[in-house]
Amino acid sequence: MIRVFITEDMGLLRDALIRLLSFAPDVTVVAEYEKGEQAIADAPLHRPDVALLDVRLPDVSGFEVARRLQGPLPQCRVLFMTGYATPANLRQAAELGAYGFIAKDGPADVLTETIRKVHAGCKVFDSEVVARALHHMVSPLSPRENEILRLAGRGEPPSAIARRLSLADGTVRNHLAACATKLGARNRADALRIASENGWI
């Protein structure tokens, strides 16, 4: 029996994953978590074989979860899920020794087979995810959005950025919101992190 733990902050998706895996006779979900810190603290107690981790979590990233579980769970193989693939994400997964990297919106029947392959020691990096990452090697931000996000990264508030660039405060805020949307970020700080990791600012 392949023992799996899942860390995914979206409750509906987490429940769907658990239900899907319940149909596999050789896979059992031994634990589920909404947040990364919960998984770090509790997962070692369940002796999982495979960790199914969302890349982005409300507190710490899936990468941080994988890194901090390497000591207490050296035999546990990591399979990352993502809804937004970037070269930086792929690089971090590879550096952590992940066995897999798949898209959240991929076919449901692929997940169980991927878990089996990862458990068997095979590397499974979804070709569509890799293609998306290569596509995102070019920044999706406009020159103006890039400039505003770069200034925000220096700690300048929107009002100061607006004065510097002779723009309305609302225009700057709209640009920052557009940056977050284009980068698939949760907020401005997350947008800064993603843009910085990819070398776009």
Side-chain angles (χ1 to χ4, degrees):
M1 187 67 74
I2 303 171
R3 299 169 61 84
V4 177
F5 84 83
I6 297 172
T7 304
E8 163 59 55
D9 63 321
M10 295 178 62
L12 285 174
L13 178 54
R14 191 171 64 252
D15 290 346
L17 291 169
I18 293 168
R19 181 171 177 79
L20 173 65
L21 294 176
S22 72
F23 292 107
D26 57 340
V27 176
T28 182
V29 177
V30 295
E32 57 168 299
Y33 305 100
E34 177 184 358
K35 295 183 178 180
E37 292 288 359
Q38 294 172 334
I40 293 165
D42 190 53
L45 302 176
H46 298 281
R47 297 175 291 105
D49 301 305
V50 176
L52 183 60
L53 304 176
D54 188 0
V55 168
R56 295 186 183 175
L57 296 167
D59 48 0
V60 298
S61 72
F63 299 122
E64 179 68 6
V65 174
R67 186 185 67 78
R68 288 168 62 183
L69 286 177
Q70 286 177 341
L73 290 173
Q75 304 305 317
C76 183
R77 290 176 174 154
V78 173
L79 171 59
F80 285 111
M81 299 180 294
T82 186
Y84 188 81
T86 67
N89 283 345
L90 281 175
R91 184 173 61 252
Q92 284 192 72
E95 288 172 353
L96 284 165
Y99 276 77
F101 202 90
I102 60 174
K104 280 187 177 182
D105 57 358
D109 59 347
V110 169
L111 178 61
T112 305
E113 188 56 34
T114 299
I115 287 174
R116 291 185 180 117
K117 288 179 179 177
V118 165
H119 181 251
C122 300
K123 298 273 186 173
V124 184
F125 282 72
D126 187 291
S127 59
E128 185 175 342
V129 171
V130 174
R132 289 181 194 176
L134 292 174
H135 173 74
H136 283 106
M137 288 182 74
V138 178
S139 173
L141 304 179
S142 70
R144 176 65 88 184
E145 289 165 348
N146 185 288
E147 182 179 26
I148 289 172
L149 189 60
R150 180 171 48 79
L151 291 171
R154 294 177 180 173
E156 294 194 31
S159 57
I161 296 172
R163 288 193 299 273
R164 176 190 288 265
L165 300 179
S166 301
L167 297 172
D169 287 8
T171 300
V172 171
R173 294 182 190 281
N174 288 341
H175 277 306
L176 288 170
C179 290
T181 299
K182 287 184 177 181
L183 297 177
R186 287 192 170 90
N187 49 44
R188 188 184 310 166
D190 197 29
L192 283 165
R193 178 187 61 77
I194 294 167
S196 177
E197 285 177 352
N198 286 280
W200 294 333
I201 59 171

